[in-house]
Amino acid sequence: MKKTILTSALAFAVMVVSANAENRTDINEATVTTTTVKSVDINSFCKAIVQGDVDMVKRLIALGEDVNQKSLGMTPAIFAARYNKVEILELLIAEGANLKTKSDKGLTAKKYAKMSNATEALVVIESALKR
């Protein structure tokens, strides 16, 4: 009888420990915070502009890329102005980029150039706007 009680008590103790382990796992899983990261994709054309790849920008324009199509809410000219890519900015202007188009935040290429201290790009933009 003592063996039966002892065996039952031992089996019960094992079950309690197992149940606690399962509950702890559930508690830990419940307290894990999940962070959702929004994927942000810039189009290839604007990516080439940001990287300063003039040859790629020329090739993409030759293939029919729209010099006024927005990516991430900004035009290619805004990207060129923001990152002070003067040669690319001049190319975009020559290809018909509209410097008065605003980003989704309501800012023009000129404003982005000012905010980024892109002085060379700002000179190009101001010159083009006077024409």
Side-chain angles (χ1 to χ4, degrees):
M1 178 92 166
K2 286 184 181 181
K3 284 184 181 179
T4 306
I5 292 173
L6 188 57
T7 306
S8 297
L10 187 57
F12 182 73
V14 169
M15 288 182 352
V16 168
V17 169
S18 295
N20 280 342
E22 287 177 20
N23 286 340
R24 284 187 186 159
T25 303
D26 291 342
I27 290 169
N28 289 338
E29 288 174 4
T31 59
V32 172
T33 55
T34 308
T35 305
T36 303
V37 178
K38 183 179 177 184
S39 177
V40 178
D41 290 328
I42 183 173
N43 69 26
S44 299
F45 187 51
C46 292
K47 194 177 292 186
I49 292 168
V50 170
Q51 293 171 346
D53 191 342
V54 179
D55 293 330
M56 179 61 74
V57 171
K58 286 179 181 178
R59 278 184 268 168
L60 290 170
I61 289 171
L63 291 170
E65 192 68 47
D66 182 354
V67 295
N68 290 303
Q69 183 177 351
K70 290 182 179 181
S71 178
L72 299 180
M74 298 186 294
T75 65
I78 290 173
F79 279 102
R82 182 177 182 189
Y83 294 101
N84 206 31
K85 305 299 181 183
V86 177
E87 186 177 353
I88 294 173
L89 183 57
E90 290 171 339
L91 175 64
L92 293 170
I93 292 168
E95 293 293 328
N98 184 349
L99 298 176
K100 294 182 180 181
T101 300
K102 294 182 179 182
S103 70
D104 290 355
K105 293 183 179 182
L107 305 172
T108 62
K110 183 177 178 179
K111 183 64 178 174
Y112 276 98
K114 283 182 183 178
M115 290 183 344
S116 301
N117 284 332
T119 55
E120 294 88 0
L122 189 55
V123 169
V124 170
I125 292 168
E126 287 174 343
S127 175
L129 289 173
K130 289 179 183 175
R131 291 187 226 148

